[in-house]
Amino acid sequence: MAKMKKAEVKPFKELLLNLRARLRGDVSTLANSALSSGGSGGSGSSSVPSHMADMGSDTFEQDNTILLMNSEGETLTAVEGALERIEEGVYGSCLECSGKIPKTRLKAIPYTPHCVKCASELEDGNY
Ligand SMILES: [Zn+2]
């Protein structure tokens, strides 16, 4: 079975932890960026300290910013599974054929459990 080195897995683990936090609504990084980019163009205002933005974030802000809303639960499950595979040292291997999942695919969909071939055979469009 093809295994990835820890150093190779690390950036994906960070991606997945970030994604999981966002899906759970633990952090407001998306809300923060939405707040700063959606401003009314006022001049000279210094950036808002993150802890203040945290306190001011509302749930409807997150509704607007999380684009994965439709399959949020599904995606969260997939992210959890990917993190488990990282802990088990099997991340990056296809669950179906045990083949190596290309890094380009992992970069696009870090929580995918399948290689491109198996994903298309399973007709699992999302991952
Ligand atoms: Zn496969």
Side-chain angles (χ1 to χ4, degrees), residues 34-47:
L35 285 173
S36 56
S37 66
S40 55
S43 63
S45 62
S46 57
S47 61

Side-chain angles (χ1 to χ4, degrees), residues 10-78:
K10 201 180 173 214
F12 294 110
K13 184 175 180 180
E14 281 169 9
L15 260 177
L16 288 161
L17 287 172
N18 256 322
L19 192 56
R20 183 174 69 172
R22 271 160 52 186
L23 289 166
R24 283 174 166 180
D26 286 349
V27 293
S28 55
T29 49
L30 276 180
N32 284 346
S33 64
L35 285 173
S36 56
S37 66
S40 55
S43 63
S45 62
S46 57
S47 61
V48 181
S50 58
H51 67 274
M52 287 182 70
D54 284 347
M55 292 172 70
S57 65
D58 300 311
T59 47
F60 73 85
E61 290 283 352
Q62 292 180 356
D63 287 352
N64 288 336
T65 50
I66 293 182
L67 301 173
L68 300 163
M69 212 59 189
N70 286 341
S71 56
E72 186 183 349
E74 227 172 88
T75 308
L76 181 57
T77 305

